[in-house]
Amino acid sequence: MKNRVIIFDTTLRDGEQSPGASMNVAEKLRLANQLEKLRVDVIEAGFPAASPGDFEAVHAISKKIRGVQIAGLARTSVEDIKRAWEAVKEAAHPRLHTFIATSDIHMEHKLRMSRDDVLQEVVNAVRYSKSLTDDVEFSSEDGSRSDRDFLCRVFEAAIEAGATTINLPDTVGYALPEEFGELISYVMQHTPNIHKAVMSVHCHNDLGLATANTLAGLKAGARQAEVTINGIGERAGNTSLEEVVMSLHTRRSILNLSSGINTKEIYPTSRLVSMITGIVVQPNKAVIGANAFAHEAGIHQDGVLKNKMTYEIMEPETIGLASNRLVMGKHSGRHAFRERLSDMGYDLAQSEVDALFRKFKDLADKRKEILDEDIEALVAEELLRVPDVYKLEYLNVVSGTVAVPTATVKLFIEGHEAQGAGFGIGPIDATYNTIAKMTGTRSKLLRFSINAITDGTDAQGEVTVRLKENGLIALGKGTDPDIITASAKAYINGLNRLEYLKKNPSLTAEERRL
Ligand SMILES: [Zn+2]
């Protein structure tokens, strides 16, 4: 048990800080469900005091997910802790996670508090949290840039007040592996009561060192790693779960550490996060990137064919990457479809399967072969949506070498039918102009990208847009064999996400940083 690393997943809290990655309650619940299957030890479900949407999501997850600890984040104020407790108290295993900055630069410029003030604040916050639950985690924000002896004093006081987990974050992604490992060793040696708590690390990837720093921390004695799926998070992101877990798994004989993660669920979880957030995984991303197991260079291919172990240090099956993709088509029945969904990691209600099956049949009429990626796109579109403010009902576009691009659009706006038409430089411009006019929205299109989900000219187009309005940023995604329709769907999805953000005013990034 001593060599067992607690995997604390903060995709739903810190990961959500990625620009544009905000998820709604239904999406968070679905992801929490998948994290339970992945067998993480702790799900940090959100920051309940940050916004009503955060609160609602943490509350819903606490009630539904029973097999995993659920943590809620709070600053040190009584109001924050109360709110976090309200959100997690119905969980089977609730945890309160409170934090305050401990570096001189943060204490002086952000908090405007002295060291003694901060120390007192920590004691009060942990004591109050402890009066509500046994499981209390304390984090020293900007820990890696804090005075190490002050850190030890803070940790000692926090443990004395009842903290059971002590987390040392590299909030700004500044540390180097050797230095960070040494800091963890120092803190563990110089905090007299550290044996009464679990030491935890939380790293950011600004220098691309998050995983290396996390492993250095674990080697030095930390036994909890705070991570996100795909390494999503603010700026360059957080430590990625899959990298840490597969490092422990692949180099077990050297590290002598293990986790309780069901590695076969890594790939499905990664895909789900990518689908929900619209943040595409880079092809060369360690462990889960599209090229991670593709040995394209001729010499490597030859080696892999002769014996996989020549160049492959992990087997794709270990992370749940099926080596033979099952192709489906219009003759595939409901039963086979359901089986495929379940193999891909989607456990769905009968009504959901029925709705998806209808869409699948529609798609199969247009395309000869349906691959896993197509099915995923269907799942994303059909299930990862809440009742939307805007819904596309009809789209007709005229374009070509002689026509002025024109779009005619029918939308449902909060349930009411509306129709409009407009022009543009091209068909997508015409469509977007018309939709913007009809919805009265003034978002700016920051990014537009289009991808073919599979190969072949009959492939579905997957469009991702990034929209900005009044300082809020949202991603939108849409798929369809017709790329203009996919573009319209992505735009409308982005607008719906902006509406969700407008209804859920939140703390600024500065206030929720850890
Ligand atoms: Zn963080």
Side-chain angles (χ1 to χ4, degrees), residues 126-143:
V126 173
R127 232 180 238 154
Y128 180 52
S129 302
K130 192 74 173 185
S131 74
L132 302 168
T133 178
D134 275 343
D135 194 332
V136 178
E137 170 166 341
F138 168 73
S139 281
S140 57
E141 184 193 350
D142 204 19

mmCIF file with all atom_site columns, all heavy atoms in Angstrom, residues 126-143:
data_model
loop_
_atom_site.group_PDB
_atom_site.id
_atom_site.type_symbol
_atom_site.label_atom_id
_atom_site.label_alt_id
_atom_site.label_comp_id
_atom_site.label_asym_id
_atom_site.label_entity_id
_atom_site.label_seq_id
_atom_site.pdbx_PDB_ins_code
_atom_site.Cartn_x
_atom_site.Cartn_y
_atom_site.Cartn_z
_atom_site.occupancy
_atom_site.B_iso_or_equiv
_atom_site.pdbx_formal_charge
_atom_site.auth_seq_id
_atom_site.auth_comp_id
_atom_site.auth_asym_id
_atom_site.auth_atom_id
_atom_site.pdbx_PDB_model_num
ATOM 1   N N   . VAL A 1 126 ? -8.588  25.053 7.742  1.00 0.00 ? 126 VAL A N   1
ATOM 2   C CA  . VAL A 1 126 ? -8.503  23.594 7.873  1.00 0.00 ? 126 VAL A CA  1
ATOM 3   C C   . VAL A 1 126 ? -9.356  23.133 9.059  1.00 0.00 ? 126 VAL A C   1
ATOM 4   O O   . VAL A 1 126 ? -10.099 22.153 8.969  1.00 0.00 ? 126 VAL A O   1
ATOM 5   C CB  . VAL A 1 126 ? -7.040  23.129 8.017  1.00 0.00 ? 126 VAL A CB  1
ATOM 6   C CG1 . VAL A 1 126 ? -6.975  21.644 8.321  1.00 0.00 ? 126 VAL A CG1 1
ATOM 7   C CG2 . VAL A 1 126 ? -6.251  23.439 6.745  1.00 0.00 ? 126 VAL A CG2 1
ATOM 8   N N   . ARG A 1 127 ? -9.300  23.884 10.155 1.00 0.00 ? 127 ARG A N   1
ATOM 9   C CA  . ARG A 1 127 ? -10.085 23.525 11.331 1.00 0.00 ? 127 ARG A CA  1
ATOM 10  C C   . ARG A 1 127 ? -11.578 23.513 11.003 1.00 0.00 ? 127 ARG A C   1
ATOM 11  O O   . ARG A 1 127 ? -12.315 22.603 11.363 1.00 0.00 ? 127 ARG A O   1
ATOM 12  C CB  . ARG A 1 127 ? -9.820  24.539 12.455 1.00 0.00 ? 127 ARG A CB  1
ATOM 13  C CG  . ARG A 1 127 ? -9.441  23.856 13.737 1.00 0.00 ? 127 ARG A CG  1
ATOM 14  C CD  . ARG A 1 127 ? -9.177  24.844 14.831 1.00 0.00 ? 127 ARG A CD  1
ATOM 15  N NE  . ARG A 1 127 ? -7.825  24.677 15.342 1.00 0.00 ? 127 ARG A NE  1
ATOM 16  C CZ  . ARG A 1 127 ? -7.110  25.634 15.912 1.00 0.00 ? 127 ARG A CZ  1
ATOM 17  N NH1 . ARG A 1 127 ? -7.630  26.862 16.032 1.00 0.00 ? 127 ARG A NH1 1
ATOM 18  N NH2 . ARG A 1 127 ? -5.916  25.387 16.351 1.00 0.00 ? 127 ARG A NH2 1
ATOM 19  N N   . TYR A 1 128 ? -11.999 24.555 10.321 1.00 0.00 ? 128 TYR A N   1
ATOM 20  C CA  . TYR A 1 128 ? -13.419 24.642 9.962  1.00 0.00 ? 128 TYR A CA  1
ATOM 21  C C   . TYR A 1 128 ? -13.808 23.490 9.023  1.00 0.00 ? 128 TYR A C   1
ATOM 22  O O   . TYR A 1 128 ? -14.833 22.838 9.219  1.00 0.00 ? 128 TYR A O   1
ATOM 23  C CB  . TYR A 1 128 ? -13.734 26.002 9.328  1.00 0.00 ? 128 TYR A CB  1
ATOM 24  C CG  . TYR A 1 128 ? -15.181 26.143 8.943  1.00 0.00 ? 128 TYR A CG  1
ATOM 25  C CD1 . TYR A 1 128 ? -16.201 25.883 9.867  1.00 0.00 ? 128 TYR A CD1 1
ATOM 26  C CD2 . TYR A 1 128 ? -15.549 26.488 7.645  1.00 0.00 ? 128 TYR A CD2 1
ATOM 27  C CE1 . TYR A 1 128 ? -17.528 25.984 9.513  1.00 0.00 ? 128 TYR A CE1 1
ATOM 28  C CE2 . TYR A 1 128 ? -16.880 26.585 7.281  1.00 0.00 ? 128 TYR A CE2 1
ATOM 29  C CZ  . TYR A 1 128 ? -17.871 26.331 8.223  1.00 0.00 ? 128 TYR A CZ  1
ATOM 30  O OH  . TYR A 1 128 ? -19.185 26.411 7.864  1.00 0.00 ? 128 TYR A OH  1
ATOM 31  N N   . SER A 1 129 ? -12.952 23.224 8.039  1.00 0.00 ? 129 SER A N   1
ATOM 32  C CA  . SER A 1 129 ? -13.224 22.115 7.106  1.00 0.00 ? 129 SER A CA  1
ATOM 33  C C   . SER A 1 129 ? -13.322 20.797 7.874  1.00 0.00 ? 129 SER A C   1
ATOM 34  O O   . SER A 1 129 ? -14.191 19.966 7.617  1.00 0.00 ? 129 SER A O   1
ATOM 35  C CB  . SER A 1 129 ? -12.110 21.999 6.059  1.00 0.00 ? 129 SER A CB  1
ATOM 36  O OG  . SER A 1 129 ? -11.969 23.209 5.344  1.00 0.00 ? 129 SER A OG  1
ATOM 37  N N   . LYS A 1 130 ? -12.404 20.646 8.813  1.00 0.00 ? 130 LYS A N   1
ATOM 38  C CA  . LYS A 1 130 ? -12.356 19.402 9.587  1.00 0.00 ? 130 LYS A CA  1
ATOM 39  C C   . LYS A 1 130 ? -13.610 19.221 10.437 1.00 0.00 ? 130 LYS A C   1
ATOM 40  O O   . LYS A 1 130 ? -14.006 18.105 10.746 1.00 0.00 ? 130 LYS A O   1
ATOM 41  C CB  . LYS A 1 130 ? -11.099 19.417 10.469 1.00 0.00 ? 130 LYS A CB  1
ATOM 42  C CG  . LYS A 1 130 ? -10.767 18.087 11.100 1.00 0.00 ? 130 LYS A CG  1
ATOM 43  C CD  . LYS A 1 130 ? -10.201 17.105 10.082 1.00 0.00 ? 130 LYS A CD  1
ATOM 44  C CE  . LYS A 1 130 ? -9.724  15.836 10.745 1.00 0.00 ? 130 LYS A CE  1
ATOM 45  N NZ  . LYS A 1 130 ? -9.075  14.932 9.781  1.00 0.00 ? 130 LYS A NZ  1
ATOM 46  N N   . SER A 1 131 ? -14.227 20.335 10.824 1.00 0.00 ? 131 SER A N   1
ATOM 47  C CA  . SER A 1 131 ? -15.468 20.228 11.611 1.00 0.00 ? 131 SER A CA  1
ATOM 48  C C   . SER A 1 131 ? -16.594 19.689 10.725 1.00 0.00 ? 131 SER A C   1
ATOM 49  O O   . SER A 1 131 ? -17.627 19.247 11.219 1.00 0.00 ? 131 SER A O   1
ATOM 50  C CB  . SER A 1 131 ? -15.845 21.585 12.197 1.00 0.00 ? 131 SER A CB  1
ATOM 51  O OG  . SER A 1 131 ? -16.357 22.434 11.180 1.00 0.00 ? 131 SER A OG  1
ATOM 52  N N   . LEU A 1 132 ? -16.404 19.733 9.404  1.00 0.00 ? 132 LEU A N   1
ATOM 53  C CA  . LEU A 1 132 ? -17.440 19.274 8.483  1.00 0.00 ? 132 LEU A CA  1
ATOM 54  C C   . LEU A 1 132 ? -17.170 17.863 7.965  1.00 0.00 ? 132 LEU A C   1
ATOM 55  O O   . LEU A 1 132 ? -18.095 17.087 7.747  1.00 0.00 ? 132 LEU A O   1
ATOM 56  C CB  . LEU A 1 132 ? -17.535 20.242 7.295  1.00 0.00 ? 132 LEU A CB  1
ATOM 57  C CG  . LEU A 1 132 ? -17.847 21.706 7.661  1.00 0.00 ? 132 LEU A CG  1
ATOM 58  C CD1 . LEU A 1 132 ? -17.635 22.630 6.474  1.00 0.00 ? 132 LEU A CD1 1
ATOM 59  C CD2 . LEU A 1 132 ? -19.267 21.839 8.196  1.00 0.00 ? 132 LEU A CD2 1
ATOM 60  N N   . THR A 1 133 ? -15.903 17.548 7.736  1.00 0.00 ? 133 THR A N   1
ATOM 61  C CA  . THR A 1 133 ? -15.555 16.211 7.230  1.00 0.00 ? 133 THR A CA  1
ATOM 62  C C   . THR A 1 133 ? -14.153 15.819 7.688  1.00 0.00 ? 133 THR A C   1
ATOM 63  O O   . THR A 1 133 ? -13.310 16.674 7.960  1.00 0.00 ? 133 THR A O   1
ATOM 64  C CB  . THR A 1 133 ? -15.614 16.157 5.684  1.00 0.00 ? 133 THR A CB  1
ATOM 65  O OG1 . THR A 1 133 ? -15.227 14.856 5.254  1.00 0.00 ? 133 THR A OG1 1
ATOM 66  C CG2 . THR A 1 133 ? -14.699 17.185 5.032  1.00 0.00 ? 133 THR A CG2 1
ATOM 67  N N   . ASP A 1 134 ? -13.904 14.501 7.703  1.00 0.00 ? 134 ASP A N   1
ATOM 68  C CA  . ASP A 1 134 ? -12.593 14.003 8.112  1.00 0.00 ? 134 ASP A CA  1
ATOM 69  C C   . ASP A 1 134 ? -11.534 14.203 7.051  1.00 0.00 ? 134 ASP A C   1
ATOM 70  O O   . ASP A 1 134 ? -10.356 14.289 7.347  1.00 0.00 ? 134 ASP A O   1
ATOM 71  C CB  . ASP A 1 134 ? -12.685 12.490 8.371  1.00 0.00 ? 134 ASP A CB  1
ATOM 72  C CG  . ASP A 1 134 ? -13.163 12.229 9.779  1.00 0.00 ? 134 ASP A CG  1
ATOM 73  O OD1 . ASP A 1 134 ? -13.096 13.176 10.596 1.00 0.00 ? 134 ASP A OD1 1
ATOM 74  O OD2 . ASP A 1 134 ? -13.622 11.106 10.046 1.00 0.00 ? 134 ASP A OD2 1
ATOM 75  N N   . ASP A 1 135 ? -11.995 14.211 5.785  1.00 0.00 ? 135 ASP A N   1
ATOM 76  C CA  . ASP A 1 135 ? -11.050 14.189 4.674  1.00 0.00 ? 135 ASP A CA  1
ATOM 77  C C   . ASP A 1 135 ? -10.782 15.611 4.175  1.00 0.00 ? 135 ASP A C   1
ATOM 78  O O   . ASP A 1 135 ? -11.590 16.183 3.437  1.00 0.00 ? 135 ASP A O   1
ATOM 79  C CB  . ASP A 1 135 ? -11.635 13.315 3.560  1.00 0.00 ? 135 ASP A CB  1
ATOM 80  C CG  . ASP A 1 135 ? -10.604 12.945 2.511  1.00 0.00 ? 135 ASP A CG  1
ATOM 81  O OD1 . ASP A 1 135 ? -9.643  13.721 2.318  1.00 0.00 ? 135 ASP A OD1 1
ATOM 82  O OD2 . ASP A 1 135 ? -10.766 11.894 1.879  1.00 0.00 ? 135 ASP A OD2 1
ATOM 83  N N   . VAL A 1 136 ? -9.669  16.179 4.616  1.00 0.00 ? 136 VAL A N   1
ATOM 84  C CA  . VAL A 1 136 ? -9.376  17.573 4.277  1.00 0.00 ? 136 VAL A CA  1
ATOM 85  C C   . VAL A 1 136 ? -8.006  17.658 3.600  1.00 0.00 ? 136 VAL A C   1
ATOM 86  O O   . VAL A 1 136 ? -7.013  17.142 4.091  1.00 0.00 ? 136 VAL A O   1
ATOM 87  C CB  . VAL A 1 136 ? -9.367  18.459 5.543  1.00 0.00 ? 136 VAL A CB  1
ATOM 88  C CG1 . VAL A 1 136 ? -9.009  19.905 5.172  1.00 0.00 ? 136 VAL A CG1 1
ATOM 89  C CG2 . VAL A 1 136 ? -10.726 18.412 6.235  1.00 0.00 ? 136 VAL A CG2 1
ATOM 90  N N   . GLU A 1 137 ? -7.996  18.336 2.457  1.00 0.00 ? 137 GLU A N   1
ATOM 91  C CA  . GLU A 1 137 ? -6.736  18.566 1.752  1.00 0.00 ? 137 GLU A CA  1
ATOM 92  C C   . GLU A 1 137 ? -6.407  20.052 1.798  1.00 0.00 ? 137 GLU A C   1
ATOM 93  O O   . GLU A 1 137 ? -7.280  20.900 1.637  1.00 0.00 ? 137 GLU A O   1
ATOM 94  C CB  . GLU A 1 137 ? -6.856  18.103 0.283  1.00 0.00 ? 137 GLU A CB  1
ATOM 95  C CG  . GLU A 1 137 ? -5.665  18.520 -0.572 1.00 0.00 ? 137 GLU A CG  1
ATOM 96  C CD  . GLU A 1 137 ? -5.587  17.798 -1.910 1.00 0.00 ? 137 GLU A CD  1
ATOM 97  O OE1 . GLU A 1 137 ? -6.214  16.728 -2.069 1.00 0.00 ? 137 GLU A OE1 1
ATOM 98  O OE2 . GLU A 1 137 ? -4.887  18.318 -2.795 1.00 0.00 ? 137 GLU A OE2 1
ATOM 99  N N   . PHE A 1 138 ? -5.131  20.325 2.033  1.00 0.00 ? 138 PHE A N   1
ATOM 100 C CA  . PHE A 1 138 ? -4.680  21.718 1.991  1.00 0.00 ? 138 PHE A CA  1
ATOM 101 C C   . PHE A 1 138 ? -3.617  21.890 0.907  1.00 0.00 ? 138 PHE A C   1
ATOM 102 O O   . PHE A 1 138 ? -2.694  21.091 0.788  1.00 0.00 ? 138 PHE A O   1
ATOM 103 C CB  . PHE A 1 138 ? -4.105  22.176 3.338  1.00 0.00 ? 138 PHE A CB  1
ATOM 104 C CG  . PHE A 1 138 ? -3.386  23.495 3.200  1.00 0.00 ? 138 PHE A CG  1
ATOM 105 C CD1 . PHE A 1 138 ? -4.118  24.665 3.029  1.00 0.00 ? 138 PHE A CD1 1
ATOM 106 C CD2 . PHE A 1 138 ? -1.996  23.561 3.162  1.00 0.00 ? 138 PHE A CD2 1
ATOM 107 C CE1 . PHE A 1 138 ? -3.470  25.882 2.819  1.00 0.00 ? 138 PHE A CE1 1
ATOM 108 C CE2 . PHE A 1 138 ? -1.341  24.772 2.961  1.00 0.00 ? 138 PHE A CE2 1
ATOM 109 C CZ  . PHE A 1 138 ? -2.086  25.931 2.793  1.00 0.00 ? 138 PHE A CZ  1
ATOM 110 N N   . SER A 1 139 ? -3.745  22.969 0.123  1.00 0.00 ? 139 SER A N   1
ATOM 111 C CA  . SER A 1 139 ? -2.758  23.276 -0.917 1.00 0.00 ? 139 SER A CA  1
ATOM 112 C C   . SER A 1 139 ? -2.135  24.640 -0.702 1.00 0.00 ? 139 SER A C   1
ATOM 113 O O   . SER A 1 139 ? -2.841  25.612 -0.432 1.00 0.00 ? 139 SER A O   1
ATOM 114 C CB  . SER A 1 139 ? -3.428  23.314 -2.296 1.00 0.00 ? 139 SER A CB  1
ATOM 115 O OG  . SER A 1 139 ? -3.625  22.038 -2.789 1.00 0.00 ? 139 SER A OG  1
ATOM 116 N N   . SER A 1 140 ? -0.814  24.685 -0.879 1.00 0.00 ? 140 SER A N   1
ATOM 117 C CA  . SER A 1 140 ? -0.094  25.952 -0.794 1.00 0.00 ? 140 SER A CA  1
ATOM 118 C C   . SER A 1 140 ? 0.119   26.459 -2.213 1.00 0.00 ? 140 SER A C   1
ATOM 119 O O   . SER A 1 140 ? 1.024   26.002 -2.903 1.00 0.00 ? 140 SER A O   1
ATOM 120 C CB  . SER A 1 140 ? 1.256   25.713 -0.134 1.00 0.00 ? 140 SER A CB  1
ATOM 121 O OG  . SER A 1 140 ? 1.970   24.746 -0.887 1.00 0.00 ? 140 SER A OG  1
ATOM 122 N N   . GLU A 1 141 ? -0.752  27.372 -2.641 1.00 0.00 ? 141 GLU A N   1
ATOM 123 C CA  . GLU A 1 141 ? -0.645  27.877 -4.010 1.00 0.00 ? 141 GLU A CA  1
ATOM 124 C C   . GLU A 1 141 ? 0.731   28.502 -4.232 1.00 0.00 ? 141 GLU A C   1
ATOM 125 O O   . GLU A 1 141 ? 1.264   29.166 -3.346 1.00 0.00 ? 141 GLU A O   1
ATOM 126 C CB  . GLU A 1 141 ? -1.758  28.910 -4.256 1.00 0.00 ? 141 GLU A CB  1
ATOM 127 C CG  . GLU A 1 141 ? -1.782  29.421 -5.678 1.00 0.00 ? 141 GLU A CG  1
ATOM 128 C CD  . GLU A 1 141 ? -2.660  30.661 -5.843 1.00 0.00 ? 141 GLU A CD  1
ATOM 129 O OE1 . GLU A 1 141 ? -3.388  31.014 -4.902 1.00 0.00 ? 141 GLU A OE1 1
ATOM 130 O OE2 . GLU A 1 141 ? -2.596  31.275 -6.917 1.00 0.00 ? 141 GLU A OE2 1
ATOM 131 N N   . ASP A 1 142 ? 1.292   28.303 -5.418 1.00 0.00 ? 142 ASP A N   1
ATOM 132 C CA  . ASP A 1 142 ? 2.631   28.788 -5.763 1.00 0.00 ? 142 ASP A CA  1
ATOM 133 C C   . ASP A 1 142 ? 3.675   28.206 -4.798 1.00 0.00 ? 142 ASP A C   1
ATOM 134 O O   . ASP A 1 142 ? 4.683   28.855 -4.487 1.00 0.00 ? 142 ASP A O   1
ATOM 135 C CB  . ASP A 1 142 ? 2.675   30.326 -5.755 1.00 0.00 ? 142 ASP A CB  1
ATOM 136 C CG  . ASP A 1 142 ? 3.811   30.873 -6.657 1.00 0.00 ? 142 ASP A CG  1
ATOM 137 O OD1 . ASP A 1 142 ? 4.293   30.119 -7.527 1.00 0.00 ? 142 ASP A OD1 1
ATOM 138 O OD2 . ASP A 1 142 ? 4.205   32.036 -6.479 1.00 0.00 ? 142 ASP A OD2 1
ATOM 139 N N   . GLY A 1 143 ? 3.417   26.963 -4.380 1.00 0.00 ? 143 GLY A N   1
ATOM 140 C CA  . GLY A 1 143 ? 4.289   26.301 -3.406 1.00 0.00 ? 143 GLY A CA  1
ATOM 141 C C   . GLY A 1 143 ? 5.747   26.218 -3.845 1.00 0.00 ? 143 GLY A C   1
ATOM 142 O O   . GLY A 1 143 ? 6.666   26.397 -3.039 1.00 0.00 ? 143 GLY A O   1
#
